[in-house]
Amino acid sequence: MRRIAAARLRYWGLQTLTDDVMLIVSELLTNALLHSGTTKIGLKLTVEEDFLHIAVSDGVPSRIAPGPAYEKAESGRGLTLVAALAQGHGGTFGISDGGATAWCTLALPPQEAS
């Protein structure tokens, strides 16, 4: 799915976002795989109104939210990282569909906004 996301960014001319989007996609997909118990996971990328929208759905409603990570913990920072990257790009992070979908938006760089 990461390769598909990278190809879509190239197609849209949004290569400058590739590193951050790859990290976001990896974190959201990993979270869905680890916590949903399903193997049916979807990734949706769209560009609307000067924002890149990234959504990962697993179809399993659950209570997920960014939380504190303990200093020596090997996991638990993914959603916090996604939220920080989204905010750093002038976007937002959220959970919808009763927790079945984690999504974020990134503002397009000025030269790439329509």
Side-chain angles (χ1 to χ4, degrees), residues 57-74:
S57 300
D58 58 35
V60 180
S62 61
R63 291 176 26 155
I64 59 172
Y70 300 101
E71 184 178 337
K72 294 184 181 183
E74 293 182 13

Side-chain angles (χ1 to χ4, degrees), residues 12-108:
W12 286 327
L14 299 175
Q15 295 92 322
T16 58
L17 296 176
T18 299
D19 290 341
D20 287 345
V21 170
M22 293 301 97
L23 183 54
I24 289 167
V25 167
S26 291
E27 292 297 337
L28 294 179
L29 288 171
T30 298
N31 191 67
L33 282 168
L34 289 176
H35 301 292
S36 71
T38 185
T39 56
K40 294 182 180 180
I41 296 171
L43 169 66
K44 184 176 180 181
L45 299 169
T46 58
V47 173
E48 298 173 19
E49 300 178 12
D50 299 334
F51 284 89
L52 172 65
H53 299 263
I54 304 166
V56 172
S57 300
D58 58 35
V60 180
S62 61
R63 291 176 26 155
I64 59 172
Y70 300 101
E71 184 178 337
K72 294 184 181 183
E74 293 182 13
S75 64
R77 295 171 184 84
L79 295 180
T80 301
L81 181 59
V82 170
L85 284 169
Q87 183 178 15
H89 281 280
T92 57
F93 167 77
I95 309 290
S96 58
D97 302 326
T101 302
W103 57 268
C104 70
T105 60
L106 308 178
L108 299 181

